Amino acid sequence: MTKKRALITGGAGFLGSHLCERFLAEGWEVVCMDNLITGDLHNVEHLFSNPDVHFEHRDVTEYIHVPGALDAVMHFASPASPIDYLELPIQTLKVGSLGTHKALGLARSKGSRFLLASTSECYGDPLVHPQSEDYWGNVNPVGPRGVYDEAMRFAEAMTMAYHRFHGVETRIVRIFNTYGPRMRLNDGRALPAFMSQGLCGEDLTVFGDGSQTRSFCYVDDLVEGICRLLGSEEVLPTNIGNPSEMTILEFAQTVLEMTGSDSKIVFKDLPVDDPKVRQPNIDKAKAVLGWEPQVKLRDGLERTMDYFKRRLALEPS
Ligand code: UDP
């Protein structure tokens, strides 16, 4: 029997690499495509001895050619942290818009199912809390985060157009804050910052007064939700995230305690347009996919800390 085959764009990134692993474990062949501007070969090189994985060093915003059949195209390529948006604003806009167009064109030509990795950033600084899929969001198009938020909103619109106009089988996941092994140590996001700071004995930098909230999902739970969504018939966007909400100050205190460090927490300026609250409403994922997160925050943080300790030993700050 021929194996099923998936293209995973952004396959060498944090989420992409976990997806590659999951598909391989389920007996798929995987084409892992990445231009490595934020992805890292370290995340996938342990898979290269597997003859079912093929790595393509390619930019998905250019014309993409993949020989052979493709059952699924998983579009996960994008810079995805506030520091990345500041450093790579044009690439962020291009991969969400042009890259999504190219990936959809490929899915259409191969008759593949297409899944877009969208984001809770589509809700911007939300005025509805928790956020359910029918909320249209409160996004500043011209602020620093606009390059990501608007690109992803465009990507969702493009995906729906390919579905409605070309009949492509499409799925859209709105991903909320996710953490786990293979996050970039220095991407400026809260978890890598707090964990590296704690483990290196540096002060933890909480932005603003830390009263803004987030809800953190462990990567294995996210991947399970995405796989269920791909196999489902749900075309409209679906939130996948962990609804257990906390303030960023509480999160910093938890990470600090777990690192066992005697570092202090210091307060820095709040970045522009930093959302004040964020929590997924996952009623739809529960009802349609029978999915809800299983991993408790402290368990997920332990697993993540093992990874961070290993990485920090390799790359002393
Ligand atoms: N944050 C912080 N200190 C840091 C990095 C981030 O207090 O060193 C805050 C940030 O301002 C935001 C929250 O943590 O309110 C989550 O930030 P992250 O960049 O992880 O994700 P996002 O803002 O996209 O949810």
Side-chain angles (χ1 to χ4, degrees), residues 80-83 85 119-121 145 148 177 183 187-194 197 204-208 210 212-214 216 248-249 251-252 266 268-271 273-276 278:
S81 84
I83 282 192
Y85 316 147
T119 167
S120 56
E121 286 285 326
R145 300 174 89 107
Y148 185 54
N177 293 69
M183 291 186 98
D187 75 357
R189 282 187 279 193
L191 182 120
F194 297 156
Q197 289 161 344
L204 274 66
T205 51
V206 165
F207 297 159
Q212 69 275 31
T213 69
R214 295 293 186 274
F216 292 94
I248 287 300
L249 182 57
F251 185 59
V266 296
K268 303 261 179 190
D269 289 346
L270 191 66
D273 294 336
D274 199 282
K276 286 179 267 311
R278 185 180 288 154

Side-chain angles (χ1 to χ4, degrees), residues 186-239:
N186 55 355
D187 75 357
R189 282 187 279 193
L191 182 120
F194 297 156
M195 204 165 258
S196 317
Q197 289 161 344
L199 290 172
C200 296
E202 295 162 11
D203 292 343
L204 274 66
T205 51
V206 165
F207 297 159
D209 62 3
S211 63
Q212 69 275 31
T213 69
R214 295 293 186 274
S215 313
F216 292 94
C217 183
Y218 188 65
V219 63
D220 289 359
D221 279 333
L222 182 93
V223 166
E224 176 63 29
I226 288 170
C227 289
R228 290 191 192 199
L229 179 62
L230 180 70
S232 80
E233 296 308 309
E234 183 56 43
V235 171
L236 290 169
T238 305
N239 289 340

Side-chain angles (χ1 to χ4, degrees), residues 57-200:
H57 187 190
R58 202 87 69 78
D59 187 332
V60 70
T61 64
E62 314 281 341
Y63 177 80
I64 44 174
H65 171 68
V66 177
L70 282 176
D71 299 281
V73 172
M74 313 289 287
H75 186 39
F76 277 70
S78 179
S81 84
I83 282 192
D84 294 340
Y85 316 147
L86 289 177
E87 287 177 358
L88 304 164
I90 315 286
Q91 287 95 329
T92 304
L93 279 160
K94 281 177 71 178
V95 73
S97 53
L98 307 181
T100 302
H101 183 218
K102 294 284 185 290
L104 278 162
L106 181 71
R108 181 183 172 215
S109 74
K110 302 275 184 188
S112 332
R113 191 166 277 210
F114 176 90
L115 186 141
L116 172 70
S118 182
T119 167
S120 56
E121 286 285 326
C122 286
Y123 302 119
D125 190 3
L127 305 177
V128 167
H129 190 67
Q131 295 77 55
S132 52
E133 292 86 349
D134 53 8
Y135 175 49
W136 294 348
N138 176 40
V139 170
N140 175 3
V142 295
R145 300 174 89 107
V147 297
Y148 185 54
D149 303 8
E150 294 296 2
M152 282 300 167
R153 289 163 68 98
F154 174 94
E156 290 196 0
M158 181 67 104
T159 301
M160 290 308 298
Y162 264 69
H163 174 72
R164 295 195 177 110
F165 191 73
H166 290 309
V168 175
E169 280 286 355
T170 57
R171 307 287 178 263
I172 298 174
V173 56
R174 289 198 182 134
I175 297 171
F176 282 67
N177 293 69
T178 301
Y179 69 98
R182 304 201 199 117
M183 291 186 98
R184 257 159 57 228
L185 263 53
N186 55 355
D187 75 357
R189 282 187 279 193
L191 182 120
F194 297 156
M195 204 165 258
S196 317
Q197 289 161 344
L199 290 172
C200 296

